[in-house]
Amino acid sequence: MKPPQRMRRTMSRNLYVTLPVKDVQRSVHFFAALGFAFNPKFASDNGAALIINDTTTVMLASEAFFSTLTKVPITDARQATEALFSLSLDSRADVDDLIRKAVAAGAEEGHDPEDYGFMYQRAFIDLDGHQWGVFQMNAEE
């Protein structure tokens, strides 16, 4: 008699992003001030898991640990851009509120507000130079 086959559980396709940061705790305090939470299962001196939503997490990794994950040097995000990160929010007020919190926590504002009618966007540059776009879009227009 054959043993029962184990049901194979598959994970849906998703994107995982890891960002190098100079000081993990400083970055945790910054993003917590913006209202983000962290997954304590993935927290150490080497990194912290920033929860974006139920299916999206950004790992903030210390530069020392991040450098073990790649063979090429870490880019100084204040000197060169490798990626832009965009967050969609429910309302223009939410966009303005997040930018206000980011600047109060030490970020730089990325650019002046841009209003296209169907979309409103702003941006901030985090403590390590990573650029975050924040926008609200009315999909019905």
Side-chain angles (χ1 to χ4, degrees), residues 1 4 14 26 47 49-50 60 66 114 119 132 138 140:
M1 182 177 219
N14 206 338
R26 180 180 76 144
L50 170 67
L60 305 175
F66 189 94
E114 298 172 331
M119 182 172 71
W132 295 80
N138 183 349
E140 295 176 12

Side-chain angles (χ1 to χ4, degrees), residues 41-94:
K41 291 181 184 177
F42 301 102
S44 72
D45 292 339
N46 290 327
L50 170 67
I51 298 169
I52 303 298
N53 61 34
D54 290 344
T55 59
T56 307
T57 300
V58 173
M59 184 57 107
L60 305 175
S62 69
E63 287 184 346
F65 179 72
F66 189 94
S67 67
T68 69
L69 305 173
T70 179
K71 293 180 180 181
V72 298
I74 296 171
T75 300
D76 179 348
R78 296 196 179 280
Q79 302 298 317
T81 301
E82 183 174 8
L84 300 173
F85 305 94
S86 297
L87 293 170
S88 61
L89 299 179
D90 290 333
S91 71
R92 291 173 184 230
D94 290 344

Side-chain angles (χ1 to χ4, degrees), residues 2-130:
K2 277 180 147 178
Q5 277 191 332
R6 237 171 112 189
M7 204 164 164
R8 184 174 173 193
R9 201 171 152 194
T10 60
M11 201 164 110
S12 63
R13 185 176 290 180
N14 206 338
L15 173 68
Y16 295 88
V17 175
T18 303
L19 291 177
V21 298
K22 294 196 180 306
D23 183 322
V24 172
Q25 285 307 308
R26 180 180 76 144
S27 293
V28 166
H29 291 299
F30 171 78
F31 284 102
L34 276 58
F36 288 95
F38 290 83
N39 184 336
K41 291 181 184 177
F42 301 102
S44 72
D45 292 339
N46 290 327
L50 170 67
I51 298 169
I52 303 298
N53 61 34
D54 290 344
T55 59
T56 307
T57 300
V58 173
M59 184 57 107
L60 305 175
S62 69
E63 287 184 346
F65 179 72
F66 189 94
S67 67
T68 69
L69 305 173
T70 179
K71 293 180 180 181
V72 298
I74 296 171
T75 300
D76 179 348
R78 296 196 179 280
Q79 302 298 317
T81 301
E82 183 174 8
L84 300 173
F85 305 94
S86 297
L87 293 170
S88 61
L89 299 179
D90 290 333
S91 71
R92 291 173 184 230
D94 290 344
V95 170
D96 291 339
D97 186 52
L98 186 65
I99 296 297
R100 181 188 55 75
K101 287 177 182 176
V103 170
E108 298 172 43
E109 188 157 357
H111 56 73
D112 290 334
E114 298 172 331
D115 188 345
Y116 299 104
F118 71 96
M119 182 172 71
Y120 176 70
Q121 65 183 17
R122 296 181 69 181
F124 69 87
I125 302 167
D126 74 15
L127 304 178
D128 291 285
H130 304 294

